[in-house]
Amino acid sequence: MIQYVGALDCRVLTDDGKTRRCTVRQVVRKLSRDQRNPVVAGDFAWILPLSDEEGVVERIDPRRSTLSRYNDRKEHIIAANVDQAVIVSSIAQPALKPGLIDRFIVSALKGNTKPIICVNKSDLRGNDDDPEVPDLDALVEGYRRLGYPVVLCSAAQDVGIEELRDLLTGRLTVFAGQSGVGKSSLLNAVQPGLGRLTNDVSDESGKGRHTTRVAELVPLAAGGWVVDTPGIRQFQLWDVSSGELDAYFVEFLPHIPHCKFPNCTHIHESGCAVKQAVVNQAISTHRYESYVRILTDQ
Ligand code: GDP
Ligand code: ZN
């Protein structure tokens, strides 16, 4: 598996447990549909070993999923075969923003990545006197009903870390979320020493630097990988057209066929089954509001 892709070569972990620096054969670049990303972290590669330390990438398996960054609507694949995104938020400091969680869920689903919601800083519970934040228990229950696992954590007090570690084991995971919610702290708690790899490039180093950094797969002791670089932890995976947005709100799906107009945006149309479902409380108001905000903000 490709662990890291540099400018001239890449680092590949092979079945014999060795890590080899590999160059990429020209034919792999030529066969790649998207020549900008012939090889990305997470790719399964066939290599010709040249020695215990070196080899040549001969072929890349088809990608099951990809994690992309969008720049000017152009896709840049950062990592392949990502299983899940842990969407980290915090109860306070910064305040919980369900709308942001919903945006990240859409982004994850768009990338064929399973969303897991992690609410950190549970030790600060009671500080969330922001009236905009819906009741936490109802929020958690709502996401669970949609099929998204929710973990309540405190990196500071070692709460929920075991559960988080279990969710990560054996899978390839990316952490996403607003700066300051505790992503590095959680990664450190899950595996002491892990965050150390990334803390050297802090937010203070400037946003511009993030965009040039590449993904690195960091192995977890219990098995599995975390896609890491501060750049990936901060940015939003985002390129969803208005026409496809409702498909990423899973609870809308059973209602959409009942809208009067086939191209209903569920905002101003009459006979909208989605809006009716909000009235009937089959769809939560906050989720519907997130949908409207995403559609109208873009
Ligand atoms: P990141 O930007 O998402 O990687 O967030 P950091 O891990 O750097 O954490 C941001 C701040 O929140 C730091 O000051 C942490 O000490 C603090 N922090 C992280 N986790 C917790 C927690 O569970 N409880 C509290 N009270 N503070 C936390
Ligand atoms: Zn509708």
Side-chain angles (χ1 to χ4, degrees):
M1 187 170 66
I2 307 277
Q3 234 186 309
Y4 177 87
V5 181
L8 299 171
D9 56 9
C10 53
R11 198 162 72 228
V12 185
L13 182 78
T14 45
D15 290 341
D16 57 7
K18 296 199 167 67
T19 301
R20 289 185 172 85
R21 294 232 149 259
C22 291
T23 54
V24 179
R25 207 179 276 296
Q26 196 59 30
V27 67
V28 175
R29 298 186 193 278
K30 290 226 177 75
L31 285 176
S32 155
R33 270 186 295 133
D34 178 355
Q35 298 223 6
R36 280 173 305 156
N37 306 115
V39 177
V40 303
D43 268 333
F44 291 107
W46 296 77
I47 71 154
L48 174 71
L50 298 176
S51 69
D52 276 358
E53 291 87 34
E54 291 181 322
V56 181
V57 173
E58 301 273 2
R59 188 153 71 83
I60 297 290
D61 277 353
R63 294 168 185 149
R64 189 161 41 78
S65 67
T66 52
L67 183 71
S68 302
R69 183 202 314 262
Y70 294 89
N71 205 342
D72 251 349
R73 301 222 134 219
K74 276 201 234 79
E75 184 180 21
H76 169 224
I77 302 171
I78 294 158
N81 304 313
V82 177
D83 296 304
Q84 55 192 20
V86 173
I87 299 164
V88 186
S89 56
S90 55
I91 284 182
Q93 302 170 16
L96 193 66
K97 298 181 189 70
L100 195 57
I101 296 176
D102 291 331
R103 280 179 188 259
F104 274 113
I105 290 175
V106 171
S107 299
L109 295 176
K110 161 87 179 170
N112 198 19
T113 299
K114 189 182 152 198
I116 292 175
I117 295 153
C118 172
V119 184
N120 189 35
K121 308 198 186 183
S122 65
D123 54 292
L124 298 181
R125 204 168 173 179
N127 291 19
D128 54 335
D129 48 6
D130 183 344
E132 297 240 36
V133 177
D135 175 60
L136 183 67
D137 294 325
L139 193 74
V140 168
E141 184 48 40
Y143 284 125
R144 285 189 178 142
R145 226 178 302 126
L146 296 180
Y148 306 130
V150 184
V151 203
L152 278 169
C153 287
S154 169
Q157 295 187 348
D158 198 24
V159 174
I161 302 305
E162 200 61 52
E163 195 183 344
L164 186 60
R165 191 182 293 124
D166 282 350
L167 285 165
L168 303 185
T169 303
R171 304 198 174 100
L172 206 166
T173 308
V174 58
F175 272 62
Q178 216 189 335
S179 181
V181 292
K183 294 178 297 297
S184 324
S185 309
L186 287 167
L187 281 169
N188 267 332
V190 164
Q191 184 162 316
L194 197 64
R196 187 182 44 81
L197 287 167
T198 60
N199 279 348
D200 52 341
V201 184
S202 64
D203 290 331
E204 287 79 53
S205 68
K207 286 229 157 64
R209 201 166 156 193
H210 291 162
T211 56
T212 59
R213 292 190 62 84
V214 289
E216 176 163 20
L217 302 193
V218 181
L220 297 170
W225 305 82
V226 172
V227 185
D228 206 18
T229 76
I232 284 169
R233 283 189 250 149
Q234 303 311 343
F235 84 92
Q236 210 159 319
L237 314 155
W238 195 252
D239 186 38
V240 179
S241 66
S242 58
E244 65 180 322
L245 183 64
D246 58 6
Y248 296 119
F249 281 77
V250 287
E251 71 273 48
F252 289 16
L253 295 178
H255 305 287
I256 293 169
H258 302 294
C259 290
K260 186 167 155 196
F261 302 105
N263 58 349
C264 186
T265 63
H266 324 301
I267 293 189
H268 50 75
E269 293 88 346
S270 62
C272 172
V274 169
K275 279 196 291 183
Q276 187 57 46
V278 177
V279 173
N280 298 346
Q281 300 183 335
I283 292 174
S284 86
T285 310
H286 105 78
R287 288 277 293 171
Y288 178 70
E289 282 171 357
S290 289
Y291 168 82
V292 174
R293 248 182 270 139
I294 293 172
L295 203 58
T296 52
D297 272 357
Q298 280 191 85

